């Protein structure tokens, strides 16, 4: 009977140790599952960011291609326009003479502006500058 009681006590102690070990393992599994969930969320977030960046890169490449095509068309149009102007100048002597004539001083003066360091300099120049002459009246030079 003592032997049976001793075996029963040993079995109960083994069962208690197994339950404690089982509880520890279940806590570790729960902790590992939380870590896996956190890492999975991080991976999903990273994958979404990668997909967004790839999409933005593709859109940027499409816009860049459109800009390059537009630049090519604009360059071709400018070259055609320049060739037409040159052809017209070569064909028409009076147009060539007019093209090579210097602009009048009043018109050239409209295109001259001093260099400004700030907006205040520009406003000061605007308030201090001379008024344009009224059409048909000579300037006070």
């Amino acid at each position: 009977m003592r032997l049976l009681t001793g075996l029963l006590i040993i079995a109960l102690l083994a069962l208690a140790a197994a339950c404690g070990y089982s509880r520890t393992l279940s806590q570790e599994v729960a902790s590992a599952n939380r870590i896996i969930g956190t890492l999975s969320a991080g991976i999903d977030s990273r994958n979404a960011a990668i997909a967004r960046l790839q999409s933005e890169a593709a859109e940027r490449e499409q816009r860049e291609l459109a800009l390059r095509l537009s630049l090519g068309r604009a360059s071709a149009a400018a070259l055609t326009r320049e060739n037409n102007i040159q052809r017209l100048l070569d064909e028409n002597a009076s147009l060539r003479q007019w093209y090579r004539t210097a602009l009048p001083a009043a018109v050239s003066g409209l295109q001259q502006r001093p260099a400004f360091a700030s907006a205040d300099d520009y406003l000061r120049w605007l308030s201090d500058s001379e008024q344009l002459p009224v059409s048909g009246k000579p300037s006070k030079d």
Side-chain angles (χ1 to χ4, degrees), residues 13-14 23 31 36 55 57 59 73 80 87 90 93 97 108 130 136:
L13 289 174
R23 189 174 308 128
S31 175
I36 289 171
S55 172
E59 290 174 10
R73 286 192 299 269
T80 301
R87 183 182 47 81
D90 291 343
Q97 161 114 21
S108 295
E130 296 180 19

Side-chain angles (χ1 to χ4, degrees), residues 10-137:
I10 292 173
L12 286 176
L13 289 174
L15 184 61
C19 286
Y21 184 67
S22 172
R23 189 174 308 128
T24 302
L25 287 179
S26 66
Q27 289 173 351
E28 288 180 10
V29 167
S31 175
N33 283 337
R34 280 192 300 272
I35 291 171
I36 289 171
T38 303
L39 293 175
S40 294
I43 290 171
D44 291 342
S45 173
R46 184 203 58 173
N47 288 343
I50 289 172
R52 187 186 78 247
L53 289 173
Q54 287 174 337
S55 172
E56 289 174 0
E59 290 174 10
R60 187 172 37 254
E61 287 174 6
Q62 289 175 350
R63 288 192 306 263
E64 183 179 338
L65 178 61
L67 285 173
R68 287 182 188 274
L69 291 174
S70 177
L71 178 62
R73 286 192 299 269
S75 296
L79 182 61
T80 301
R81 195 170 25 255
E82 184 64 32
N83 288 339
N84 285 342
I85 291 171
Q86 192 60 44
R87 183 182 47 81
L88 290 171
L89 288 174
D90 291 343
E91 290 175 357
N92 191 334
S94 62
L95 181 61
R96 188 172 40 248
Q97 161 114 21
W98 172 82
Y99 180 77
R100 291 183 179 147
T101 304
L103 291 173
V107 174
S108 295
L110 291 174
Q111 295 180 349
Q112 296 174 354
R113 289 185 174 83
F116 302 113
S118 68
D120 290 335
D121 292 343
Y122 175 70
L123 291 174
R124 194 174 308 109
W125 175 78
L126 280 178
S127 64
D128 294 345
S129 66
E130 296 180 19
Q131 296 292 323
L132 292 175
V134 178
S135 178
K137 294 183 179 178

